[in-house]
């Protein structure tokens, strides 16, 4: 099982629940706002609750944090998991409360969910299916099942091969993205009971 998981604390994540879920899944977790701790971690989890803009601003306020994330994830290839807005921040830009530059690790943008059927409510909230894309069958972290979602904005990826899984809420919405050692999930594993804990356990064992 994985050691040294850095759970990034930038003031905008559902840290307590994610921390507990990771511990229950077998991880040794350091909740941290220290770039040096991130640089030493074997795995990194970036949570996120709130708006795209607020989360990015919170992350950028920590001097050296984005550079540490890029060094450890992009340069050193350590496994990375983004959760909810932590997944959305992987995009090139977000369109919530104006345009905000994202991390641009996976090309695309985060847009408001605008279903054509007015009976479909926004935010997308509650349990929904997670269906793997054909090219993602057999992925070592994500399996098909049901997870808990809560979001009003969705990730629109430029490259379909970066989309790992979809869900449906009046239209197809991206449930997960992935590239190399990076995975992001729109749903909340910490609220997704057995399915979410199993997802975290597979992340902790993942050797991309």
């Amino acid at each position: 099982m994985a050691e040294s998981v850095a759970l990034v604390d930038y003031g905008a994540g559902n840290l307590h629940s994610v921390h507990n879920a990771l511990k229950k899944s077998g991880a040794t977790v350091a909740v941290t706002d220290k770039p040096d701790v991130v640089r030493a971690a074997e795995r990194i989890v970036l949570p996120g609750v709130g708006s795209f803009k607020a989360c990015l601003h919170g992350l950028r306020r920590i001097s050296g944090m984005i550079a540490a994330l890029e060094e450890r994830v992009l340069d050193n290839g350590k496994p990375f998991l983004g959760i909810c807005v932590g997944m959305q921040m992987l995009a090139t830009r977000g369109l919530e409360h104006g345009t905000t530059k994202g991390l641009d690790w996976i090309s695309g943008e985060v847009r408001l969910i605008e279903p054509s059927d007015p009976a479909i409510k926004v935010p997308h909230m509650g349990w929904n299916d997670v269906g793997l894309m054909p090219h993602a069958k057999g992925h070592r972290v994500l399996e098909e099942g049901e997870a808990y979602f809560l979001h009003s904005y969705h990730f629109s990826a430029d490259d379909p091969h970066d989309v790992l899984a979809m869900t449906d809420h009046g239209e197809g919405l991206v449930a997960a993205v992935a590239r190399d050692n990076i995975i992001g999930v729109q749903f909340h594993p910490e609220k997704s009971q057995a399915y979410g804990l199993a997802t975290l356990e597979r992340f902790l064992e993942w050797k991309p």
Side-chain angles (χ1 to χ4, degrees):
M1 190 60 72
E3 294 295 322
S4 184
V5 178
L7 177 60
V8 182
D9 178 6
Y10 57 98
N14 189 14
L15 286 172
H16 182 70
S17 296
V18 176
H19 182 216
N20 286 346
L22 284 165
K23 285 179 65 179
K24 190 176 289 187
S25 300
T28 300
V29 187
V31 179
T32 185
D33 61 357
K34 307 297 184 189
D36 286 348
V37 175
V38 169
R39 284 191 176 92
E42 291 303 311
R43 293 167 196 268
I44 297 166
V45 177
L46 183 67
V49 174
S51 75
F52 186 99
K53 174 177 279 188
C55 287
L56 253 303
H57 286 182
L59 198 60
R60 291 192 173 113
R61 274 196 295 267
I62 303 174
S63 178
M65 180 59 80
I66 289 179
L69 288 167
E70 290 176 343
E71 177 183 322
R72 203 62 176 150
V73 179
L74 302 184
D75 298 340
N76 300 154
K78 297 300 179 182
F80 172 94
L81 172 64
I83 296 173
C84 195
V85 184
M87 171 265 233
Q88 293 181 355
M89 288 193 288
L90 300 174
T92 308
R93 69 189 69 84
L95 306 183
E96 188 172 4
H97 306 309
T99 301
T100 303
K101 183 180 178 183
L103 295 174
D104 198 22
W105 293 3
I106 294 181
S107 181
E109 66 182 21
V110 176
R111 306 169 180 164
L112 180 66
I113 299 171
E114 297 183 286
S116 56
D117 183 353
I120 302 296
K121 302 300 183 185
V122 177
H124 172 213
M125 179 171 63
W127 290 85
N128 210 337
D129 291 337
V130 176
L132 288 179
M133 298 296 287
H135 64 264
K137 298 290 185 181
H139 193 276
R140 293 183 179 179
V141 175
L142 203 61
E143 294 184 356
E144 295 191 328
E146 281 193 317
Y148 187 87
F149 291 81
L150 177 56
H151 62 119
S152 297
Y153 285 74
H154 68 107
F155 196 124
S156 177
D158 290 342
D159 186 345
H161 279 86
D162 290 334
V163 177
L164 184 62
M166 298 288 291
T167 191
D168 184 83
H169 185 64
E171 60 180 309
L173 300 176
V174 170
V177 294
R179 177 184 293 174
D180 302 326
N181 56 306
I182 298 166
I183 182 169
V185 295
Q186 182 63 70
F187 58 86
H188 287 272
E190 76 280 8
K191 297 180 181 179
S192 297
Q193 299 179 8
Y195 175 82
L197 291 178
T199 300
L200 293 176
E201 287 170 3
R202 288 189 295 270
F203 170 74
L204 296 172
E205 295 170 352
W206 187 33
K207 294 179 173 59

